Amino acid sequence: MATVPSGVDSILYLTELTGMGVIAPNGHRLGRVRELGLMPSEHPTRVSHFLLGRRTRFMVRHDQVESISLAGIRLSDDLFVPYYPDERLFLLEKDLLDQQIVDVNGCKVVRVNDLALRIVHAPERDELWVHEVGVGLQGAFRRLTEGFLPNKVIRKVQERITPNSIPWQYCNIVEPDPQRRLRLRISHQRLGELHPADLADIVEDLAPAEREALFKTLGDEVAAETLTEVEPKIQVSILKSLDKERAADIVEEMEPDQAADVLDQLEEEKSREILQDMEQVPKAEVEELLEYRSDTAGGMMNTQYVGVHENGHVRDAFEALRGNEDLLKMLTHIFLIDQEQRLTGAVAISRLFTASEHTPLRRLAFKETLHAHVDDDRKEVVAIFDKYNLFALPVVDEDNELCGVITADDVISVLTPAG
């Protein structure tokens, strides 16, 4: 986290600026600053306008300012005009204070308490550039004491409080957004680097509208991984907020069993719309899983697994694994099947590395292959995992054909209570 320098005149805080005196070229006081405006289309950080007055507001442009300090703002001329609302103008106090913003360093959602602005000495005048967003106790202290203590006293006391802030370059104002929310300029890079579980924590802390805004910045794969980590109610809320094309793109990136679980929670019409926009292969896999009740082995299983013919050798297994690199992070076993896709054995992947490439897979298979039937109750599946300390359990149909596999993660998700 960046820190705001204390005790130096190059930094002013929004809480200090609101209420600061504005002085005409002849030395007379014209009024006090009530609000500051930013015009992102002209400059991403420079304060473009100062608003004066309570009921009837007047506006001073940045190029009318001569000097800025704790003592006040001195103008080079006093030809200011009435203020009229302009949707292009981002008002720092109205549109920013108390808003929620994502702190990618702390992997959490924080509230904006104050704003640090840097005095930039331009030729012939001073300018104010937004520097950092204050999200810690120091900013909260300034807000609480604003108007009750002199600014110099507040600055002296705040030195004892650890500053906590987010650099402005990490923030991005999206002008078409009617709620004037802040979003992350670095979302594609920094958010994409966060662990999906950390991203899920952020998503769950946001209000519904902000969740939608954040998801629009994520790539399909990252969005899918994050969606699987959030609570079921929030999954539904997010998918409902997205258009069907975007929702379909995200669901396609999910594991088939996870995608089926999410779609099963949606209203039938919304679920059908998303399925219709999915590509044929993932769509078929998800539709197959949706045919099973969620409280059965068929509803828990994943249809993505690696199967090798029962007469194969270790080299055949490695060849099959090379063709399924995207599954490697979740694989613990490969499964042996006959010509009719019937399950005949299971081999732990770790055993492949201790055998030569010519070793028959049957020789490495477990003597007894535990399995579940697609219609077995979820409680029975959990009991099998608990009794035999399994990492994976194949699932077969009435003809003993291999339909999918249940992993320990699937069982953990069942045992973990929904928030």
Side-chain angles (χ1 to χ4, degrees):
M1 301 290 288
T3 58
V4 177
S6 59
V8 293
D9 289 341
S10 60
I11 291 292
L12 290 176
Y13 301 100
L14 183 59
T15 48
E16 295 173 331
L17 285 158
T18 51
M20 181 175 286
V22 178
I23 305 167
N26 61 7
H28 291 164
R29 174 172 286 189
L30 297 174
R32 294 181 181 277
V33 175
R34 301 301 177 188
E35 179 65 277
L36 290 82
L38 196 72
M39 192 78 76
S41 59
E42 294 182 358
H43 196 286
T45 60
R46 184 187 62 206
V47 171
S48 61
H49 295 82
F50 299 81
L51 275 58
L52 286 63
R54 287 189 179 275
R55 295 183 179 178
T56 302
R57 288 193 173 185
F58 295 90
M59 188 164 60
V60 175
R61 299 189 316 274
H62 71 92
D63 54 3
Q64 295 177 267
V65 173
E66 180 180 287
S67 64
I68 303 172
S69 70
L70 272 174
I73 298 175
R74 181 176 289 273
L75 303 183
S76 57
D77 68 64
D78 54 6
L79 302 177
F80 46 84
V81 298
Y83 164 71
Y84 298 102
D86 186 340
E87 62 181 21
R88 297 174 303 164
L89 193 65
F90 184 85
L91 301 177
L92 296 187
E93 184 176 62
K94 175 179 177 290
D95 296 329
L96 180 59
L97 290 188
D98 294 323
Q99 291 279 357
Q100 289 182 317
I101 186 171
V102 175
D103 170 15
V104 293
N105 295 309
C107 300
K108 59 184 178 181
V109 175
V110 290
R111 186 176 299 277
V112 177
N113 293 322
D114 202 358
L115 201 67
L117 299 99
R118 181 164 54 92
I119 301 174
V120 176
H121 302 287
E124 301 181 356
R125 64 175 179 270
D126 286 349
E127 296 179 344
L128 273 180
W129 288 21
V130 183
H131 182 58
E132 292 179 335
V133 176
V135 296
L137 289 177
Q138 197 180 81
F141 170 74
R142 288 193 297 270
R143 290 279 298 282
L144 289 171
T145 54
E146 179 185 6
F148 294 98
L149 295 174
N151 288 329
K152 290 184 178 180
V153 174
I154 295 175
R155 284 196 168 216
K156 186 66 176 177
V157 175
Q158 78 174 22
E159 292 179 4
R160 305 174 187 176
I161 306 173
T162 303
N164 192 1
S165 55
I166 299 175
W168 185 250
Q169 66 263 28
Y170 287 178
C171 306
N172 185 31
I173 301 168
V174 182
E175 293 181 78
D177 187 345
Q179 297 192 30
R180 320 287 287 185
R181 289 183 296 268
L182 284 180
R183 300 184 189 170
L184 293 183
R185 182 188 307 280
I186 53 167
S187 57
H188 291 290
Q189 176 187 348
R190 295 290 297 279
L191 286 178
E193 293 173 358
L194 293 179
H195 191 282
D198 291 328
L199 264 177
D201 288 340
I202 290 173
V203 169
E204 290 176 348
D205 284 342
L206 290 172
E210 279 71 32
R211 291 173 196 152
E212 179 184 352
L214 188 148
F215 259 76
K216 286 182 178 179
T217 71
L218 300 177
D220 293 342
E221 185 175 351
V222 174
E225 291 177 345
T226 303
L227 191 64
T228 62
E229 297 285 346
V230 300
E231 298 174 1
K233 289 182 179 179
I234 297 179
Q235 290 178 335
V236 171
S237 174
I238 291 171
L239 286 182
K240 281 184 176 180
S241 71
L242 302 173
D243 61 66
K244 61 180 181 179
E245 292 82 7
R246 170 66 168 153
D249 290 340
I250 293 174
V251 173
E252 283 177 358
E253 295 294 332
M254 300 174 70
E255 301 294 341
D257 59 330
Q258 295 169 338
D261 288 342
V262 172
L263 293 180
D264 191 46
Q265 300 173 67
L266 293 172
E267 296 174 357
E268 185 177 349
E269 182 179 353
K270 181 67 175 180
S271 179
R272 185 167 58 250
E273 287 179 353
I274 295 174
L275 281 168
Q276 287 175 349
D277 273 78
M278 291 175 62
E279 294 182 2
Q280 190 55 43
V281 173
K283 173 184 176 181
E285 292 177 334
V286 173
E287 286 181 327
E288 178 184 348
L289 289 172
L290 285 172
E291 294 178 0
Y292 301 107
R293 296 200 327 270
S294 60
D295 60 351
T296 64
M300 295 174 64
M301 71 181 182
N302 193 333
T303 55
Q304 294 184 323
Y305 58 86
V306 174
V308 181
H309 194 276
E310 61 183 352
N311 294 329
H313 297 76
V314 169
R315 65 172 178 272
D316 300 311
F318 279 121
E319 187 63 32
L321 291 174
R322 277 190 288 270
N324 291 277
E325 288 88 350
D326 55 329
L327 302 182
L328 292 182
K329 64 180 181 180
M330 56 174 280
L331 287 182
T332 57
H333 296 74
I334 62 171
F335 300 100
L336 306 184
I337 52 178
D338 63 15
Q339 201 67 32
E340 282 74 37
Q341 300 296 308
R342 291 177 298 208
L343 177 69
T344 61
V347 178
I349 289 179
S350 58
R351 302 194 71 183
L352 299 176
F353 296 95
T354 62
S356 72
E357 64 174 8
H358 303 294
T359 303
L361 291 172
R362 280 181 173 176
R363 188 180 300 173
L364 302 177
F366 296 108
K367 294 181 179 180
E368 180 182 0
T369 302
L370 295 170
H371 64 272
H373 188 273
V374 289
D375 293 325
D376 285 349
D377 186 87
R378 183 167 59 188
K379 293 180 180 178
E380 298 177 39
V381 173
V382 172
I384 294 174
F385 268 85
D386 181 46
K387 181 177 181 179
Y388 296 100
N389 296 317
L390 300 179
F391 289 101
L393 181 68
V395 181
V396 300
D397 62 14
E398 60 273 7
D399 297 320
N400 205 46
E401 290 184 14
L402 182 58
C403 299
V405 60
I406 299 173
T407 66
D409 285 344
D410 297 322
V411 174
I412 292 173
S413 65
V414 167
L415 296 176
T416 304

